[in-house]
Amino acid sequence: MQRRRFLKTGLGVGLAAGLGGTARFLFLPPGPSSPLASVNELAVRLYEGLSDEVRQVACVAYQHPLRQLHNRGVGGGGLAVGPRHFSWEQRGLLTDLFHSGLSQAGRERIPRQFFLRWPGVQLTKLLFCGDPRNPPYQLILTGPHLNLRLGGTSEEGVVFGGPQVYGDQRGNGRRGLPGNRYRYQLALAEELIDQLSPGEREEIVCPQAPPQTDIQLRGAGASFDGLPVGGFSKPARQAAERLVAGILATYAPDEVAEARAALEANGGVDALSFATYEEADEGPSYPHQIFRLEGPAAVFFYRGYPHLHAFLHLAHDADSPLKSGTFLGNNPKELVGG
């Protein structure tokens, strides 16, 4: 090869490699570490390394109202994660946090949701409520179909520190949500429906699902859509147990243990009611792509039509909801239509 041609080729390869490295730095996050440190250790390391400028936007007091915020999974409070405000090392810590708060199975789900599979944490916003060096604290990552809370049970006894939100675009508007990361939860619900009597299958169907963000805990004595799991046959109750276990299995084992303790303190899975909703029916039989398991201190809400938004909210005591600031009073009516 001639010297001039060799130099031109070498410069082209070097330029391409440099541009590729720049693009990765700007648009793609670091991969997760192996092994992963604990959520608390990672949170402290991240918090201590934040600049004053970032702290002013991404960090608030533990009792700040933003800690209560949940929705269908769009950006919430805090600061957008990206190279402008966070170093490569900090984005690595955020990626590790993204994975450390999940089970091994969950790491194949939430970080691989449709919108997150390439940009990862760089499509989220970071919010610290409180200081991880002096708990309680809550680290919240929000983004498309995501509201991931890390930091453990809140001081009010709400599991995960508040509602978790997850979802996936795959299978949009299609019967059975083919290819969806959470299709298995719909399949578990179908197994439960299979175990019901014909009469029970009719009674669990309700005409209209609640608004998707309607996941407040109603407490003892409340009425719920559908039928109580405790009244089902043994095979159907076992199927309900598998459904609940399958939903919780996305999260870290210590968080699942806390969720289980909260469930048992409020009557277990038998105290939940199971309902599906007509608006998701695509014919005379299932899949009923919207279903809800709800009890005094737990809501599992799977909205698989027209695509999946799912919500999970549990507490040890439904009468001690998330709070912030000074108590002013109770709104006598629910907010609907959201």
Side-chain angles (χ1 to χ4, degrees):
M1 182 182 295
Q2 294 181 351
R3 181 173 180 272
R4 180 177 297 177
R5 183 178 177 187
F6 175 80
L7 290 172
K8 289 174 67 177
T9 302
L11 286 171
V13 171
L15 179 61
L19 290 173
T22 300
R24 173 169 172 74
F25 178 83
L26 291 175
F27 302 112
L28 298 177
S33 302
S34 182
L36 288 165
S38 70
V39 166
N40 290 340
E41 178 183 341
L42 291 165
V44 168
R45 287 166 57 190
L46 176 64
Y47 187 88
E48 289 182 338
L50 297 178
S51 67
D52 290 341
E53 178 188 9
V54 168
R55 284 178 187 271
Q56 288 177 6
V57 182
C59 302
V60 297
Y62 183 74
Q63 294 293 6
H64 195 282
L66 283 173
R67 184 166 61 90
Q68 295 187 14
L69 183 65
H70 70 273
N71 53 27
R72 63 178 175 83
V74 296
L79 185 64
V81 175
R84 180 180 176 186
H85 299 292
F86 297 90
S87 68
W88 181 257
E89 180 183 2
Q90 289 171 332
R91 282 176 281 154
L93 290 172
L94 281 161
T95 297
D96 284 359
L97 279 160
F98 200 21
H99 289 73
S100 187
L102 304 172
S103 66
Q104 186 60 49
R107 293 166 195 161
E108 297 297 318
R109 295 170 189 153
I110 288 182
R112 296 177 184 268
Q113 291 178 186
F114 183 84
F115 289 111
L116 299 169
R117 65 195 189 282
W118 295 117
V121 292
Q122 293 187 178
L123 201 61
T124 69
K125 296 179 74 173
L126 167 68
L127 178 70
F128 265 113
C129 299
D131 185 338
R133 299 169 300 184
N134 184 28
Y137 78 96
Q138 184 91 150
L139 186 156
I140 308 173
L141 291 170
T142 55
H145 298 180
L146 179 71
N147 189 359
L148 179 63
R149 295 175 181 267
L150 304 170
T153 300
S154 73
E155 67 174 11
E156 302 91 357
V158 179
V159 181
F160 303 112
Q164 300 277 33
V165 181
Y166 57 97
D168 197 20
Q169 289 286 118
R170 296 175 180 90
N172 258 18
R174 298 171 63 188
R175 185 182 181 90
L177 296 175
N180 196 284
R181 287 282 166 185
Y182 305 97
R183 168 69 182 88
Y184 78 98
Q185 295 178 11
L186 180 58
L188 289 169
E190 292 169 10
E191 291 177 11
L192 169 54
I193 294 170
D194 281 341
Q195 297 298 331
L196 301 180
S197 69
E200 288 171 330
R201 291 181 192 177
E202 291 184 5
E203 289 189 67
I204 63 169
V205 180
C206 301
Q208 181 71 36
Q212 59 184 334
T213 54
D214 181 6
I215 56 171
Q216 70 268 22
L217 304 176
R218 302 181 190 278
S223 59
F224 308 110
D225 289 346
L227 293 174
V229 171
F232 293 161
S233 67
K234 182 177 180 180
R237 296 199 310 274
Q238 290 172 336
E241 288 277 0
R242 291 193 295 272
L243 174 55
V244 169
I247 294 171
L248 292 175
T250 291
Y251 301 97
D254 57 337
E255 299 276 24
V256 174
E258 188 73 22
R260 281 290 184 182
L263 269 176
E264 292 306 314
N266 289 277
V269 175
D270 279 357
L272 303 177
S273 290
F274 179 66
T276 66
Y277 297 90
E278 285 181 347
E279 65 190 276
D281 287 352
E282 298 181 15
S285 61
Y286 37 86
H288 302 272
Q289 292 192 178
I290 300 178
F291 66 82
R292 187 174 175 106
L293 278 159
E294 184 173 13
V299 177
F300 302 81
F301 195 10
Y302 186 100
R303 292 191 59 99
Y305 182 86
H307 56 261
L308 178 63
H309 295 157
F311 302 80
L312 173 59
H313 193 190
L314 302 98
H316 288 273
D317 181 1
D319 295 323
S320 296
L322 287 174
K323 65 176 186 291
S324 62
T326 302
F327 177 76
L328 299 177
N330 286 318
N331 186 344
K333 294 183 179 180
E334 295 177 10
L335 298 176
V336 297

